[in-house]
PDB file of all heavy atoms in Angstrom:
ATOM      1  N   LYS H 574     107.591  86.214 137.696  1.00 77.00           N
ATOM      2  CA  LYS H 574     107.575  85.825 139.105  1.00 77.00           C
ATOM      3  C   LYS H 574     108.857  86.303 139.780  1.00 77.00           C
ATOM      4  O   LYS H 574     109.953  85.989 139.341  1.00 77.00           O
ATOM      5  CB  LYS H 574     107.437  84.319 139.230  1.00 77.00           C
ATOM      6  CG  LYS H 574     106.097  83.776 138.741  1.00 77.00           C
ATOM      7  CD  LYS H 574     105.945  82.301 139.034  1.00 77.00           C
ATOM      8  CE  LYS H 574     105.858  82.080 140.524  1.00 77.00           C
ATOM      9  NZ  LYS H 574     105.554  80.663 140.857  1.00 77.00           N
ATOM     10  N   CYS H 575     108.688  87.053 140.805  1.00 78.00           N
ATOM     11  CA  CYS H 575     109.823  87.640 141.513  1.00 78.00           C
ATOM     12  C   CYS H 575     110.322  86.662 142.577  1.00 78.00           C
ATOM     13  O   CYS H 575     109.540  86.162 143.385  1.00 78.00           O
ATOM     14  CB  CYS H 575     109.412  88.964 142.150  1.00 78.00           C
ATOM     15  SG  CYS H 575     110.739  89.769 143.076  1.00 78.00           S
ATOM     16  N   PRO H 576     111.620  86.373 142.612  1.00 78.00           N
ATOM     17  CA  PRO H 576     112.160  85.515 143.676  1.00 78.00           C
ATOM     18  C   PRO H 576     112.163  86.245 145.015  1.00 78.00           C
ATOM     19  O   PRO H 576     111.995  87.473 145.069  1.00 78.00           O
ATOM     20  CB  PRO H 576     113.579  85.213 143.185  1.00 78.00           C
ATOM     21  CG  PRO H 576     113.919  86.341 142.289  1.00 78.00           C
ATOM     22  CD  PRO H 576     112.638  86.781 141.650  1.00 78.00           C
ATOM     23  N   PRO H 577     112.319  85.532 146.120  1.00 77.00           N
ATOM     24  CA  PRO H 577     112.381  86.189 147.440  1.00 77.00           C
ATOM     25  C   PRO H 577     113.507  87.217 147.491  1.00 77.00           C
ATOM     26  O   PRO H 577     114.503  87.127 146.779  1.00 77.00           O
ATOM     27  CB  PRO H 577     112.603  85.038 148.410  1.00 77.00           C
ATOM     28  CG  PRO H 577     112.137  83.828 147.673  1.00 77.00           C
ATOM     29  CD  PRO H 577     112.399  84.074 146.234  1.00 77.00           C
ATOM     30  N   THR H 578     113.331  88.183 148.377  1.00 77.00           N
ATOM     31  CA  THR H 578     114.335  89.253 148.470  1.00 77.00           C
ATOM     32  C   THR H 578     115.676  88.755 148.972  1.00 77.00           C
ATOM     33  O   THR H 578     116.709  89.392 148.709  1.00 77.00           O
ATOM     34  CB  THR H 578     113.818  90.357 149.400  1.00 77.00           C
ATOM     35  OG1 THR H 578     113.474  89.778 150.674  1.00 77.00           O
ATOM     36  CG2 THR H 578     112.598  91.029 148.801  1.00 77.00           C
ATOM     37  N   ASP H 579     115.718  87.629 149.703  1.00 77.00           N
ATOM     38  CA  ASP H 579     116.990  87.093 150.172  1.00 77.00           C
ATOM     39  C   ASP H 579     117.603  86.112 149.182  1.00 77.00           C
ATOM     40  O   ASP H 579     118.623  85.487 149.475  1.00 77.00           O
ATOM     41  CB  ASP H 579     116.817  86.404 151.527  1.00 77.00           C
ATOM     42  CG  ASP H 579     115.780  85.286 151.471  1.00 77.00           C
ATOM     43  OD1 ASP H 579     115.099  85.167 150.431  1.00 77.00           O
ATOM     44  OD2 ASP H 579     115.664  84.551 152.471  1.00 77.00           O
ATOM     45  N   SER H 580     116.983  85.954 148.014  1.00 78.00           N
ATOM     46  CA  SER H 580     117.526  85.059 147.006  1.00 78.00           C
ATOM     47  C   SER H 580     118.632  85.754 146.220  1.00 78.00           C
ATOM     48  O   SER H 580     118.579  86.972 145.985  1.00 78.00           O
ATOM     49  CB  SER H 580     116.414  84.625 146.048  1.00 78.00           C
ATOM     50  OG  SER H 580     116.950  83.930 144.948  1.00 78.00           O
ATOM     51  N   PRO H 581     119.662  85.017 145.812  1.00 79.00           N
ATOM     52  CA  PRO H 581     120.718  85.643 144.994  1.00 79.00           C
ATOM     53  C   PRO H 581     120.217  86.081 143.623  1.00 79.00           C
ATOM     54  O   PRO H 581     120.915  86.818 142.927  1.00 79.00           O
ATOM     55  CB  PRO H 581     121.762  84.528 144.866  1.00 79.00           C
ATOM     56  CG  PRO H 581     121.034  83.272 145.148  1.00 79.00           C
ATOM     57  CD  PRO H 581     119.952  83.605 146.118  1.00 79.00           C
ATOM     58  N   LEU H 582     119.011  85.626 143.236  1.00 79.00           N
ATOM     59  CA  LEU H 582     118.464  86.010 141.941  1.00 79.00           C
ATOM     60  C   LEU H 582     117.644  87.292 141.997  1.00 79.00           C
ATOM     61  O   LEU H 582     117.196  87.768 140.957  1.00 79.00           O
ATOM     62  CB  LEU H 582     117.569  84.892 141.395  1.00 79.00           C
ATOM     63  CG  LEU H 582     118.241  83.562 141.063  1.00 79.00           C
ATOM     64  CD1 LEU H 582     117.200  82.562 140.611  1.00 79.00           C
ATOM     65  CD2 LEU H 582     119.287  83.761 139.981  1.00 79.00           C
ATOM     66  N   PHE H 583     117.451  87.861 143.225  1.00 80.00           N
ATOM     67  CA  PHE H 583     116.551  89.004 143.334  1.00 80.00           C
ATOM     68  C   PHE H 583     117.091  90.204 142.547  1.00 80.00           C
ATOM     69  O   PHE H 583     116.366  90.838 141.785  1.00 80.00           O
ATOM     70  CB  PHE H 583     116.361  89.371 144.810  1.00 80.00           C
ATOM     71  CG  PHE H 583     115.458  90.557 145.009  1.00 80.00           C
ATOM     72  CD1 PHE H 583     114.091  90.447 144.858  1.00 80.00           C
ATOM     73  CD2 PHE H 583     115.996  91.810 145.318  1.00 80.00           C
ATOM     74  CE1 PHE H 583     113.268  91.537 145.033  1.00 80.00           C
ATOM     75  CE2 PHE H 583     115.174  92.905 145.487  1.00 80.00           C
ATOM     76  CZ  PHE H 583     113.800  92.767 145.343  1.00 80.00           C
ATOM     77  N   ARG H 584     118.367  90.517 142.724  1.00 81.00           N
ATOM     78  CA  ARG H 584     118.929  91.671 142.010  1.00 81.00           C
ATOM     79  C   ARG H 584     118.945  91.416 140.499  1.00 81.00           C
ATOM     80  O   ARG H 584     118.722  92.342 139.705  1.00 81.00           O
ATOM     81  CB  ARG H 584     120.323  91.959 142.514  1.00 81.00           C
ATOM     82  CG  ARG H 584     120.357  92.492 143.942  1.00 81.00           C
ATOM     83  CD  ARG H 584     121.743  92.948 144.322  1.00 81.00           C
ATOM     84  NE  ARG H 584     121.780  93.522 145.657  1.00 81.00           N
ATOM     85  CZ  ARG H 584     122.874  94.029 146.226  1.00 81.00           C
ATOM     86  NH1 ARG H 584     124.018  94.022 145.572  1.00 81.00           N
ATOM     87  NH2 ARG H 584     122.822  94.540 147.440  1.00 81.00           N
ATOM     88  N   THR H 585     119.218  90.180 140.124  1.00 81.00           N
ATOM     89  CA  THR H 585     119.192  89.866 138.689  1.00 81.00           C
ATOM     90  C   THR H 585     117.786  90.052 138.119  1.00 81.00           C
ATOM     91  O   THR H 585     117.609  90.571 137.008  1.00 81.00           O
ATOM     92  CB  THR H 585     119.664  88.426 138.465  1.00 81.00           C
ATOM     93  OG1 THR H 585     120.933  88.241 139.079  1.00 81.00           O
ATOM     94  CG2 THR H 585     119.768  88.113 136.985  1.00 81.00           C
ATOM     95  N   PHE H 586     116.781  89.644 138.900  1.00 80.00           N
ATOM     96  CA  PHE H 586     115.399  89.819 138.453  1.00 80.00           C
ATOM     97  C   PHE H 586     115.054  91.303 138.306  1.00 80.00           C
ATOM     98  O   PHE H 586     114.460  91.719 137.302  1.00 80.00           O
ATOM     99  CB  PHE H 586     114.460  89.143 139.455  1.00 80.00           C
ATOM    100  CG  PHE H 586     113.007  89.355 139.144  1.00 80.00           C
ATOM    101  CD1 PHE H 586     112.341  88.542 138.246  1.00 80.00           C
ATOM    102  CD2 PHE H 586     112.292  90.387 139.743  1.00 80.00           C
ATOM    103  CE1 PHE H 586     111.007  88.733 137.958  1.00 80.00           C
ATOM    104  CE2 PHE H 586     110.954  90.591 139.467  1.00 80.00           C
ATOM    105  CZ  PHE H 586     110.306  89.767 138.560  1.00 80.00           C
ATOM    106  N   VAL H 587     115.424  92.106 139.297  1.00 79.00           N
ATOM    107  CA  VAL H 587     115.118  93.541 139.256  1.00 79.00           C
ATOM    108  C   VAL H 587     115.803  94.194 138.059  1.00 79.00           C
ATOM    109  O   VAL H 587     115.269  95.109 137.430  1.00 79.00           O
ATOM    110  CB  VAL H 587     115.529  94.204 140.580  1.00 79.00           C
ATOM    111  CG1 VAL H 587     115.367  95.716 140.496  1.00 79.00           C
ATOM    112  CG2 VAL H 587     114.708  93.654 141.729  1.00 79.00           C
ATOM    113  N   GLN H 588     116.998  93.710 137.729  1.00 79.00           N
ATOM    114  CA  GLN H 588     117.770  94.327 136.675  1.00 79.00           C
ATOM    115  C   GLN H 588     117.290  93.897 135.283  1.00 79.00           C
ATOM    116  O   GLN H 588     117.251  94.709 134.356  1.00 79.00           O
ATOM    117  CB  GLN H 588     119.254  93.940 136.816  1.00 79.00           C
ATOM    118  CG  GLN H 588     120.182  95.110 136.607  1.00 79.00           C
ATOM    119  CD  GLN H 588     121.625  94.731 136.907  1.00 79.00           C
ATOM    120  OE1 GLN H 588     121.978  93.554 137.023  1.00 79.00           O
ATOM    121  NE2 GLN H 588     122.467  95.709 137.057  1.00 79.00           N
ATOM    122  N   ARG H 589     116.917  92.642 135.125  1.00 78.00           N
ATOM    123  CA  ARG H 589     116.679  92.095 133.795  1.00 78.00           C
ATOM    124  C   ARG H 589     115.216  91.823 133.486  1.00 78.00           C
ATOM    125  O   ARG H 589     114.836  91.773 132.319  1.00 78.00           O
ATOM    126  CB  ARG H 589     117.474  90.787 133.621  1.00 78.00           C
ATOM    127  CG  ARG H 589     118.964  90.974 133.749  1.00 78.00           C
ATOM    128  CD  ARG H 589     119.685  89.646 133.494  1.00 78.00           C
ATOM    129  NE  ARG H 589     121.128  89.805 133.597  1.00 78.00           N
ATOM    130  CZ  ARG H 589     121.906  90.230 132.622  1.00 78.00           C
ATOM    131  NH1 ARG H 589     121.372  90.517 131.453  1.00 78.00           N
ATOM    132  NH2 ARG H 589     123.199  90.364 132.797  1.00 78.00           N
ATOM    133  N   ALA H 590     114.415  91.585 134.505  1.00 78.00           N
ATOM    134  CA  ALA H 590     113.042  91.139 134.247  1.00 78.00           C
ATOM    135  C   ALA H 590     112.176  92.301 133.779  1.00 78.00           C
ATOM    136  O   ALA H 590     112.413  93.462 134.107  1.00 78.00           O
ATOM    137  CB  ALA H 590     112.448  90.516 135.502  1.00 78.00           C
TER     138      ALA H 590
END
Side-chain angles (χ1 to χ4, degrees):
K574 294 187 67 174
C575 179
T578 55
D579 57 352
S580 171
L582 295 177
F583 179 75
R584 291 188 177 182
T585 306
F586 176 85
V587 174
Q588 223 174 14
R589 299 183 179 276

